[in-house]
Amino acid sequence: MLISASILVGLALLPAQTQGVRLGLSRDEVLAMSAEQWIAFYSQKTGRSDDAAVDSASTVYAECLRSANEEKMARLQTSDRDRVQKYRKLADQWRTACIEIANGYAGADNVHAEPRSRVALEEMISTLIDLNSKPIADGTLDRLLNIQDMIGKIRRTLGDKARISQEERLRMPSRGIDPKRIDAACAKAGKAYDVTANLLPRERQEECLTVLDAFYEWLTKPF
């Protein structure tokens, strides 16, 4: 996404002492950039490119996008709005469970996962709002098969992460890993996924794939 000329002028005029977490920009000016562009700009203007700066920039972007999403969501039909709001709650449960699974296997907490993955959550919600703001696209066999494949692939992948042999369970503590932590996180993820899979409207194939793709991404690359 290109930054408009007016935004570029505004960025050039920013004082050395930046104002607030948005660095003097409005919400919509921040969102005129992609998340990657905003993080790069944030790093340039603050003179910081460390992990903490990326976390802070990600948090700001996610908050801006959530605010814009809430405004757009209010204009959806009630049934669609309710479904997207349910997606947000379930996806957040799934996202945090996937982070916990990864942390459990690593035997340490990655503190950067939470702020950075929030951007992906709001991007998913933004896509769902856009899809529900226009007529339902005609279904295709290719998308239907992809949906069926993704539903099973996510279950199998989660099952692989939850399946720990007794021998491995005995070895894990010596590496600082608590298998019960992984068990609990996988159970939480499974509950969120079961509800989500039942919520997916099969007539809205693009919506189904948007949710499933995001869920698979979090499960395999949570941060």
Side-chain angles (χ1 to χ4, degrees):
M1 179 187 297
L2 295 176
I3 307 176
S4 69
S6 62
I7 297 298
L8 286 171
V9 171
L11 302 186
L13 295 176
L14 280 176
Q17 293 290 331
T18 56
Q19 303 174 10
V21 292
R22 293 201 302 262
L23 307 183
L25 301 184
S26 70
R27 181 198 73 186
D28 292 343
E29 287 173 327
V30 171
L31 296 179
M33 300 179 245
S34 67
E36 292 76 15
Q37 288 172 330
W38 162 251
I39 290 170
F41 169 72
Y42 187 98
S43 175
Q44 177 188 6
K45 284 298 177 181
T46 60
R48 296 171 53 213
S49 58
D50 54 23
D51 283 333
V54 175
D55 293 347
S56 296
S58 298
T59 297
V60 172
Y61 196 88
E63 289 175 349
C64 287
L65 190 50
R66 175 158 187 161
S67 173
N69 284 341
E70 291 295 335
E71 288 185 7
K72 292 191 295 182
M73 198 182 308
R75 297 193 287 270
L76 294 179
Q77 294 184 10
T78 301
S79 59
D80 294 331
R81 182 173 64 250
D82 289 347
R83 189 173 64 259
V84 173
Q85 288 173 332
K86 289 177 182 177
Y87 282 138
R88 183 198 291 284
K89 180 179 179 180
L90 291 164
D92 201 37
Q93 292 172 357
W94 173 265
R95 176 183 67 91
T96 55
C98 288
I99 292 172
E100 183 68 4
I101 292 170
N103 287 341
Y105 271 106
D109 291 343
N110 186 318
V111 298
H112 310 298
E114 165 59 27
R116 298 182 190 187
S117 62
R118 285 184 60 206
V119 174
L121 172 62
E122 292 305 326
E123 288 176 338
M124 184 195 80
I125 296 299
S126 180
T127 299
L128 292 175
I129 292 171
D130 290 343
L131 288 173
N132 281 279
S133 300
K134 60 185 181 182
I136 300 174
D138 291 338
T140 68
L141 178 59
D142 184 57
R143 282 201 296 265
L144 176 61
L145 294 175
N146 282 340
I147 290 169
Q148 294 173 343
D149 180 60
M150 286 298 296
I151 288 174
K153 185 161 68 171
I154 292 171
R155 289 195 188 280
R156 289 191 299 273
T157 304
L158 179 59
D160 289 342
K161 292 181 180 294
R163 196 174 297 110
I164 307 173
S165 69
Q166 187 59 36
E167 293 78 8
E168 181 64 11
R169 287 179 181 276
L170 293 175
R171 289 192 294 265
M172 280 179 163
S174 66
R175 304 198 302 271
I177 299 174
D178 180 1
K180 291 183 179 179
R181 180 183 185 183
I182 299 171
D183 293 341
C186 288
K188 177 183 175 182
K191 290 179 181 179
Y193 185 64
D194 286 343
V195 178
T196 303
N198 290 329
L199 184 64
L200 295 173
R202 298 303 189 264
E203 73 278 7
R204 287 186 173 272
Q205 293 180 338
E206 292 177 317
E207 177 177 312
C208 295
L209 287 172
T210 295
V211 174
L212 293 169
D213 287 344
F215 271 47
Y216 186 71
E217 183 77 8
W218 278 314
L219 184 59
T220 55
K221 294 190 296 183
F223 39 78

